[in-house]
Amino acid sequence: MSEAVREAPRKQRREFRNIHVTELSNYRMPFSAIVSILHRISGFLMFILLPFILYLLQESIRSEISFAHFQGIASHPFSKLVILALVWGYMHHFCAGIRHLVMDTHIGLDKDSARKTSVTVLVISLAVTLLVALKLFGVF
């Protein structure tokens, strides 16, 4: 009996190996991983730029003179890029947060739905950011 067990053919197991640093350029992450990483980056971006946001808010509501100062700051091209980065960060964080809340209710956990919702998050956040960029830089 023991000989029969020993001679039984073994199933070939899949080999899982760690990815080396040199192989990172060949590795293709799924959209869900990209959205998850960008969700963390956008949250960090909003946290780091919170003093700038609060300063702009203070300048915009303190007085008429400070509002003129706010307009001067907000009209600078670098400030516009920072504001645009904040808009993208907020929109992406908001859309990805809604996606994660829906996934917490066990909806859309399969691979195909997760890919579709992650692509939707990317498209919506980038489309709204593009619209705000067009308005911010005076195309509209």
Side-chain angles (χ1 to χ4, degrees), residues 38 42-43 45-46 84-94 129:
L38 289 175
S42 64
L45 178 75
M46 289 189 298
L84 191 61
L86 282 168
V87 167
W88 170 81
Y90 177 76
M91 286 309 302
H92 183 82
H93 203 76
F94 179 78
T129 304

Side-chain angles (χ1 to χ4, degrees), residues 3-39:
E3 292 177 17
V5 173
R6 284 186 206 152
E7 293 178 13
R10 294 185 182 186
K11 289 185 178 179
Q12 191 68 17
R13 295 182 65 174
R14 287 181 59 188
E15 179 183 338
F16 294 101
R17 57 187 180 92
N18 294 334
I19 296 175
H20 193 265
V21 175
T22 59
E23 297 172 344
L24 285 177
S25 62
N26 299 332
Y27 182 72
R28 185 174 158 253
M29 287 195 296
F31 284 117
S32 298
I34 294 169
V35 167
S36 179
I37 291 169
L38 289 175
H39 182 75

